[in-house]
PDB file of all heavy atoms in Angstrom:
ATOM      1  N   ARG A   1      -4.957   6.100  -0.061  1.00 86.00           N
ATOM      2  CA  ARG A   1      -5.827   6.402   1.078  1.00 86.00           C
ATOM      3  C   ARG A   1      -5.670   5.353   2.171  1.00 86.00           C
ATOM      4  O   ARG A   1      -5.577   5.674   3.358  1.00 86.00           O
ATOM      5  CB  ARG A   1      -7.294   6.464   0.617  1.00 86.00           C
ATOM      6  CG  ARG A   1      -7.669   7.739  -0.099  1.00 86.00           C
ATOM      7  CD  ARG A   1      -9.178   7.887  -0.191  1.00 86.00           C
ATOM      8  NE  ARG A   1      -9.792   6.754  -0.881  1.00 86.00           N
ATOM      9  CZ  ARG A   1      -9.991   6.709  -2.191  1.00 86.00           C
ATOM     10  NH1 ARG A   1      -9.607   7.712  -2.958  1.00 86.00           N
ATOM     11  NH2 ARG A   1     -10.559   5.657  -2.747  1.00 86.00           N
ATOM     12  N   LYS A   2      -5.624   4.108   1.769  1.00 85.00           N
ATOM     13  CA  LYS A   2      -5.490   3.034   2.751  1.00 85.00           C
ATOM     14  C   LYS A   2      -4.166   3.131   3.490  1.00 85.00           C
ATOM     15  O   LYS A   2      -4.095   2.916   4.708  1.00 85.00           O
ATOM     16  CB  LYS A   2      -5.597   1.680   2.056  1.00 85.00           C
ATOM     17  CG  LYS A   2      -5.591   0.494   3.018  1.00 85.00           C
ATOM     18  CD  LYS A   2      -5.807  -0.815   2.278  1.00 85.00           C
ATOM     19  CE  LYS A   2      -5.801  -1.993   3.267  1.00 85.00           C
ATOM     20  NZ  LYS A   2      -5.998  -3.290   2.570  1.00 85.00           N
ATOM     21  N   ALA A   3      -3.104   3.496   2.786  1.00 81.00           N
ATOM     22  CA  ALA A   3      -1.781   3.602   3.417  1.00 81.00           C
ATOM     23  C   ALA A   3      -1.754   4.712   4.450  1.00 81.00           C
ATOM     24  O   ALA A   3      -1.243   4.542   5.561  1.00 81.00           O
ATOM     25  CB  ALA A   3      -0.718   3.839   2.352  1.00 81.00           C
ATOM     26  N   PHE A   4      -2.318   5.872   4.110  1.00 75.00           N
ATOM     27  CA  PHE A   4      -2.256   7.014   5.011  1.00 75.00           C
ATOM     28  C   PHE A   4      -3.260   6.919   6.157  1.00 75.00           C
ATOM     29  O   PHE A   4      -3.080   7.562   7.193  1.00 75.00           O
ATOM     30  CB  PHE A   4      -2.471   8.312   4.235  1.00 75.00           C
ATOM     31  CG  PHE A   4      -1.303   8.689   3.382  1.00 75.00           C
ATOM     32  CD1 PHE A   4      -1.417   8.750   1.997  1.00 75.00           C
ATOM     33  CD2 PHE A   4      -0.069   8.967   3.946  1.00 75.00           C
ATOM     34  CE1 PHE A   4      -0.337   9.085   1.205  1.00 75.00           C
ATOM     35  CE2 PHE A   4       1.024   9.308   3.168  1.00 75.00           C
ATOM     36  CZ  PHE A   4       0.891   9.361   1.796  1.00 75.00           C
ATOM     37  N   GLU A   5      -4.289   6.120   5.985  1.00 72.00           N
ATOM     38  CA  GLU A   5      -5.277   5.978   7.049  1.00 72.00           C
ATOM     39  C   GLU A   5      -4.926   4.871   8.034  1.00 72.00           C
ATOM     40  O   GLU A   5      -5.583   4.705   9.047  1.00 72.00           O
ATOM     41  CB  GLU A   5      -6.656   5.686   6.439  1.00 72.00           C
ATOM     42  CG  GLU A   5      -7.243   6.878   5.669  1.00 72.00           C
ATOM     43  CD  GLU A   5      -8.482   6.508   4.873  1.00 72.00           C
ATOM     44  OE1 GLU A   5      -8.863   5.310   4.914  1.00 72.00           O
ATOM     45  OE2 GLU A   5      -9.045   7.397   4.212  1.00 72.00           O
ATOM     46  N   GLY A   6      -3.868   4.106   7.745  1.00 59.00           N
ATOM     47  CA  GLY A   6      -3.472   3.011   8.622  1.00 59.00           C
ATOM     48  C   GLY A   6      -2.905   3.497   9.943  1.00 59.00           C
ATOM     49  O   GLY A   6      -2.400   4.611  10.055  1.00 59.00           O
ATOM     50  N   LYS A   7      -2.982   2.660  10.950  1.00 54.00           N
ATOM     51  CA  LYS A   7      -2.416   2.999  12.253  1.00 54.00           C
ATOM     52  C   LYS A   7      -0.900   2.873  12.196  1.00 54.00           C
ATOM     53  O   LYS A   7      -0.349   2.058  11.465  1.00 54.00           O
ATOM     54  CB  LYS A   7      -2.980   2.061  13.328  1.00 54.00           C
ATOM     55  CG  LYS A   7      -4.490   2.196  13.511  1.00 54.00           C
ATOM     56  CD  LYS A   7      -4.980   1.260  14.603  1.00 54.00           C
ATOM     57  CE  LYS A   7      -6.491   1.412  14.806  1.00 54.00           C
ATOM     58  NZ  LYS A   7      -7.002   0.489  15.851  1.00 54.00           N
ATOM     59  N   SER A   8      -0.230   3.707  13.010  1.00 51.00           N
ATOM     60  CA  SER A   8       1.229   3.728  12.981  1.00 51.00           C
ATOM     61  C   SER A   8       1.841   2.431  13.464  1.00 51.00           C
ATOM     62  O   SER A   8       2.971   2.111  13.121  1.00 51.00           O
ATOM     63  CB  SER A   8       1.747   4.889  13.840  1.00 51.00           C
ATOM     64  OG  SER A   8       1.308   4.745  15.185  1.00 51.00           O
ATOM     65  N   ASP A   9       1.117   1.668  14.283  1.00 49.00           N
ATOM     66  CA  ASP A   9       1.676   0.426  14.834  1.00 49.00           C
ATOM     67  C   ASP A   9       1.291  -0.800  14.005  1.00 49.00           C
ATOM     68  O   ASP A   9       1.553  -1.925  14.397  1.00 49.00           O
ATOM     69  CB  ASP A   9       1.219   0.237  16.277  1.00 49.00           C
ATOM     70  CG  ASP A   9      -0.302   0.141  16.398  1.00 49.00           C
ATOM     71  OD1 ASP A   9      -0.993   0.520  15.431  1.00 49.00           O
ATOM     72  OD2 ASP A   9      -0.787  -0.307  17.454  1.00 49.00           O
ATOM     73  N   LYS A  10       0.696  -0.577  12.833  1.00 57.00           N
ATOM     74  CA  LYS A  10       0.265  -1.702  12.018  1.00 57.00           C
ATOM     75  C   LYS A  10       0.378  -1.330  10.549  1.00 57.00           C
ATOM     76  O   LYS A  10      -0.052  -0.250  10.128  1.00 57.00           O
ATOM     77  CB  LYS A  10      -1.186  -2.079  12.348  1.00 57.00           C
ATOM     78  CG  LYS A  10      -1.675  -3.316  11.601  1.00 57.00           C
ATOM     79  CD  LYS A  10      -3.099  -3.651  12.017  1.00 57.00           C
ATOM     80  CE  LYS A  10      -3.608  -4.893  11.289  1.00 57.00           C
ATOM     81  NZ  LYS A  10      -4.996  -5.217  11.675  1.00 57.00           N
ATOM     82  N   ARG A  11       0.970  -2.212   9.769  1.00 63.00           N
ATOM     83  CA  ARG A  11       1.101  -1.948   8.333  1.00 63.00           C
ATOM     84  C   ARG A  11      -0.273  -1.938   7.681  1.00 63.00           C
ATOM     85  O   ARG A  11      -1.038  -2.900   7.793  1.00 63.00           O
ATOM     86  CB  ARG A  11       1.992  -3.006   7.690  1.00 63.00           C
ATOM     87  CG  ARG A  11       2.097  -2.865   6.173  1.00 63.00           C
ATOM     88  CD  ARG A  11       2.994  -3.903   5.561  1.00 63.00           C
ATOM     89  NE  ARG A  11       4.394  -3.659   5.878  1.00 63.00           N
ATOM     90  CZ  ARG A  11       5.384  -4.426   5.437  1.00 63.00           C
ATOM     91  NH1 ARG A  11       5.110  -5.478   4.691  1.00 63.00           N
ATOM     92  NH2 ARG A  11       6.631  -4.153   5.756  1.00 63.00           N
ATOM     93  N   ALA A  12      -0.587  -0.840   7.010  1.00 79.00           N
ATOM     94  CA  ALA A  12      -1.909  -0.699   6.408  1.00 79.00           C
ATOM     95  C   ALA A  12      -2.027  -1.496   5.112  1.00 79.00           C
ATOM     96  O   ALA A  12      -3.097  -1.995   4.786  1.00 79.00           O
ATOM     97  CB  ALA A  12      -2.217   0.772   6.153  1.00 79.00           C
ATOM     98  N   LEU A  13      -0.939  -1.613   4.367  1.00 87.00           N
ATOM     99  CA  LEU A  13      -0.954  -2.299   3.085  1.00 87.00           C
ATOM    100  C   LEU A  13      -0.202  -3.614   3.182  1.00 87.00           C
ATOM    101  O   LEU A  13       0.839  -3.702   3.836  1.00 87.00           O
ATOM    102  CB  LEU A  13      -0.314  -1.436   1.996  1.00 87.00           C
ATOM    103  CG  LEU A  13      -0.966  -0.087   1.681  1.00 87.00           C
ATOM    104  CD1 LEU A  13      -0.192   0.617   0.585  1.00 87.00           C
ATOM    105  CD2 LEU A  13      -2.416  -0.271   1.278  1.00 87.00           C
ATOM    106  N   SER A  14      -0.708  -4.606   2.498  1.00 90.00           N
ATOM    107  CA  SER A  14       0.003  -5.877   2.417  1.00 90.00           C
ATOM    108  C   SER A  14       1.166  -5.747   1.444  1.00 90.00           C
ATOM    109  O   SER A  14       1.270  -4.767   0.693  1.00 90.00           O
ATOM    110  CB  SER A  14      -0.941  -6.975   1.937  1.00 90.00           C
ATOM    111  OG  SER A  14      -1.332  -6.733   0.586  1.00 90.00           O
ATOM    112  N   LYS A  15       2.044  -6.727   1.431  1.00 90.00           N
ATOM    113  CA  LYS A  15       3.172  -6.723   0.507  1.00 90.00           C
ATOM    114  C   LYS A  15       2.691  -6.655  -0.932  1.00 90.00           C
ATOM    115  O   LYS A  15       3.254  -5.930  -1.767  1.00 90.00           O
ATOM    116  CB  LYS A  15       4.020  -7.974   0.729  1.00 90.00           C
ATOM    117  CG  LYS A  15       5.233  -8.078  -0.169  1.00 90.00           C
ATOM    118  CD  LYS A  15       6.031  -9.329   0.134  1.00 90.00           C
ATOM    119  CE  LYS A  15       7.233  -9.452  -0.790  1.00 90.00           C
ATOM    120  NZ  LYS A  15       8.021 -10.699  -0.491  1.00 90.00           N
ATOM    121  N   GLU A  16       1.640  -7.407  -1.244  1.00 93.00           N
ATOM    122  CA  GLU A  16       1.110  -7.429  -2.608  1.00 93.00           C
ATOM    123  C   GLU A  16       0.506  -6.075  -2.976  1.00 93.00           C
ATOM    124  O   GLU A  16       0.634  -5.612  -4.118  1.00 93.00           O
ATOM    125  CB  GLU A  16       0.061  -8.528  -2.744  1.00 93.00           C
ATOM    126  CG  GLU A  16       0.612  -9.942  -2.670  1.00 93.00           C
ATOM    127  CD  GLU A  16       1.026 -10.344  -1.249  1.00 93.00           C
ATOM    128  OE1 GLU A  16       0.525  -9.698  -0.283  1.00 93.00           O
ATOM    129  OE2 GLU A  16       1.829 -11.282  -1.114  1.00 93.00           O
ATOM    130  N   GLU A  17      -0.163  -5.418  -2.014  1.00 94.00           N
ATOM    131  CA  GLU A  17      -0.768  -4.111  -2.297  1.00 94.00           C
ATOM    132  C   GLU A  17       0.300  -3.044  -2.510  1.00 94.00           C
ATOM    133  O   GLU A  17       0.149  -2.154  -3.358  1.00 94.00           O
ATOM    134  CB  GLU A  17      -1.688  -3.716  -1.148  1.00 94.00           C
ATOM    135  CG  GLU A  17      -2.989  -4.506  -1.111  1.00 94.00           C
ATOM    136  CD  GLU A  17      -3.826  -4.189   0.112  1.00 94.00           C
ATOM    137  OE1 GLU A  17      -3.236  -3.978   1.208  1.00 94.00           O
ATOM    138  OE2 GLU A  17      -5.063  -4.155  -0.008  1.00 94.00           O
ATOM    139  N   ILE A  18       1.391  -3.109  -1.752  1.00 93.00           N
ATOM    140  CA  ILE A  18       2.492  -2.163  -1.944  1.00 93.00           C
ATOM    141  C   ILE A  18       3.081  -2.324  -3.342  1.00 93.00           C
ATOM    142  O   ILE A  18       3.396  -1.350  -4.030  1.00 93.00           O
ATOM    143  CB  ILE A  18       3.573  -2.374  -0.867  1.00 93.00           C
ATOM    144  CG1 ILE A  18       3.023  -2.014   0.514  1.00 93.00           C
ATOM    145  CG2 ILE A  18       4.820  -1.539  -1.170  1.00 93.00           C
ATOM    146  CD1 ILE A  18       3.964  -2.331   1.652  1.00 93.00           C
ATOM    147  N   GLN A  19       3.211  -3.572  -3.772  1.00 94.00           N
ATOM    148  CA  GLN A  19       3.734  -3.832  -5.113  1.00 94.00           C
ATOM    149  C   GLN A  19       2.792  -3.279  -6.180  1.00 94.00           C
ATOM    150  O   GLN A  19       3.242  -2.648  -7.149  1.00 94.00           O
ATOM    151  CB  GLN A  19       3.910  -5.341  -5.312  1.00 94.00           C
ATOM    152  CG  GLN A  19       4.392  -5.731  -6.705  1.00 94.00           C
ATOM    153  CD  GLN A  19       4.658  -7.220  -6.818  1.00 94.00           C
ATOM    154  OE1 GLN A  19       5.200  -7.840  -5.910  1.00 94.00           O
ATOM    155  NE2 GLN A  19       4.248  -7.806  -7.931  1.00 94.00           N
ATOM    156  N   ARG A  20       1.491  -3.505  -6.008  1.00 94.00           N
ATOM    157  CA  ARG A  20       0.510  -2.980  -6.968  1.00 94.00           C
ATOM    158  C   ARG A  20       0.544  -1.458  -7.018  1.00 94.00           C
ATOM    159  O   ARG A  20       0.453  -0.850  -8.087  1.00 94.00           O
ATOM    160  CB  ARG A  20      -0.885  -3.473  -6.608  1.00 94.00           C
ATOM    161  CG  ARG A  20      -1.157  -4.927  -7.016  1.00 94.00           C
ATOM    162  CD  ARG A  20      -2.416  -5.453  -6.364  1.00 94.00           C
ATOM    163  NE  ARG A  20      -3.495  -4.474  -6.316  1.00 94.00           N
ATOM    164  CZ  ARG A  20      -4.462  -4.488  -5.399  1.00 94.00           C
ATOM    165  NH1 ARG A  20      -4.474  -5.413  -4.448  1.00 94.00           N
ATOM    166  NH2 ARG A  20      -5.406  -3.563  -5.420  1.00 94.00           N
ATOM    167  N   LEU A  21       0.673  -0.828  -5.848  1.00 95.00           N
ATOM    168  CA  LEU A  21       0.740   0.634  -5.789  1.00 95.00           C
ATOM    169  C   LEU A  21       1.957   1.141  -6.557  1.00 95.00           C
ATOM    170  O   LEU A  21       1.860   2.064  -7.361  1.00 95.00           O
ATOM    171  CB  LEU A  21       0.799   1.092  -4.332  1.00 95.00           C
ATOM    172  CG  LEU A  21       1.059   2.591  -4.096  1.00 95.00           C
ATOM    173  CD1 LEU A  21      -0.037   3.431  -4.730  1.00 95.00           C
ATOM    174  CD2 LEU A  21       1.169   2.888  -2.591  1.00 95.00           C
ATOM    175  N   GLY A  22       3.117   0.524  -6.314  1.00 95.00           N
ATOM    176  CA  GLY A  22       4.340   0.955  -6.976  1.00 95.00           C
ATOM    177  C   GLY A  22       4.274   0.811  -8.480  1.00 95.00           C
ATOM    178  O   GLY A  22       4.727   1.695  -9.227  1.00 95.00           O
ATOM    179  N   GLU A  23       3.709  -0.291  -8.958  1.00 95.00           N
ATOM    180  CA  GLU A  23       3.641  -0.521 -10.393  1.00 95.00           C
ATOM    181  C   GLU A  23       2.599   0.385 -11.051  1.00 95.00           C
ATOM    182  O   GLU A  23       2.795   0.830 -12.187  1.00 95.00           O
ATOM    183  CB  GLU A  23       3.345  -1.986 -10.669  1.00 95.00           C
ATOM    184  CG  GLU A  23       4.491  -2.905 -10.258  1.00 95.00           C
ATOM    185  CD  GLU A  23       4.288  -4.348 -10.661  1.00 95.00           C
ATOM    186  OE1 GLU A  23       3.226  -4.648 -11.252  1.00 95.00           O
ATOM    187  OE2 GLU A  23       5.185  -5.169 -10.394  1.00 95.00           O
ATOM    188  N   ALA A  24       1.496   0.665 -10.354  1.00 95.00           N
ATOM    189  CA  ALA A  24       0.498   1.583 -10.908  1.00 95.00           C
ATOM    190  C   ALA A  24       1.085   2.989 -11.039  1.00 95.00           C
ATOM    191  O   ALA A  24       0.864   3.679 -12.040  1.00 95.00           O
ATOM    192  CB  ALA A  24      -0.743   1.604 -10.027  1.00 95.00           C
ATOM    193  N   LEU A  25       1.845   3.429 -10.041  1.00 96.00           N
ATOM    194  CA  LEU A  25       2.501   4.731 -10.112  1.00 96.00           C
ATOM    195  C   LEU A  25       3.472   4.777 -11.302  1.00 96.00           C
ATOM    196  O   LEU A  25       3.536   5.766 -12.031  1.00 96.00           O
ATOM    197  CB  LEU A  25       3.251   5.014  -8.811  1.00 96.00           C
ATOM    198  CG  LEU A  25       2.394   5.400  -7.606  1.00 96.00           C
ATOM    199  CD1 LEU A  25       3.214   5.307  -6.320  1.00 96.00           C
ATOM    200  CD2 LEU A  25       1.826   6.805  -7.758  1.00 96.00           C
ATOM    201  N   PHE A  26       4.217   3.704 -11.473  1.00 96.00           N
ATOM    202  CA  PHE A  26       5.175   3.652 -12.584  1.00 96.00           C
ATOM    203  C   PHE A  26       4.453   3.738 -13.924  1.00 96.00           C
ATOM    204  O   PHE A  26       4.883   4.459 -14.833  1.00 96.00           O
ATOM    205  CB  PHE A  26       5.996   2.367 -12.503  1.00 96.00           C
ATOM    206  CG  PHE A  26       7.097   2.299 -13.522  1.00 96.00           C
ATOM    207  CD1 PHE A  26       8.356   2.825 -13.242  1.00 96.00           C
ATOM    208  CD2 PHE A  26       6.881   1.725 -14.769  1.00 96.00           C
ATOM    209  CE1 PHE A  26       9.370   2.791 -14.194  1.00 96.00           C
ATOM    210  CE2 PHE A  26       7.894   1.677 -15.716  1.00 96.00           C
ATOM    211  CZ  PHE A  26       9.140   2.205 -15.424  1.00 96.00           C
ATOM    212  N   ASN A  27       3.348   3.018 -14.078  1.00 95.00           N
ATOM    213  CA  ASN A  27       2.617   3.017 -15.341  1.00 95.00           C
ATOM    214  C   ASN A  27       1.991   4.378 -15.642  1.00 95.00           C
ATOM    215  O   ASN A  27       1.797   4.730 -16.813  1.00 95.00           O
ATOM    216  CB  ASN A  27       1.532   1.937 -15.319  1.00 95.00           C
ATOM    217  CG  ASN A  27       2.121   0.544 -15.475  1.00 95.00           C
ATOM    218  OD1 ASN A  27       3.055   0.335 -16.239  1.00 95.00           O
ATOM    219  ND2 ASN A  27       1.575  -0.414 -14.746  1.00 95.00           N
TER     220      ASN A  27
END
């Protein structure tokens, strides 16, 4: 939700949050 609600000119997720998202999807 946070990723899709972010503005196009600004990264909505931090590097650490992107990593957490990827690993949660994998698990």
Side-chain angles (χ1 to χ4, degrees):
R1 283 195 302 270
K2 185 176 180 180
F4 287 117
E5 291 170 359
K7 297 181 179 179
S8 60
D9 61 344
K10 184 178 180 181
R11 176 179 289 181
L13 299 180
S14 67
K15 180 179 179 180
E16 291 73 21
E17 287 175 323
I18 294 174
Q19 177 175 319
R20 282 167 40 206
L21 172 60
E23 293 186 359
L25 285 166
F26 186 88
N27 285 321

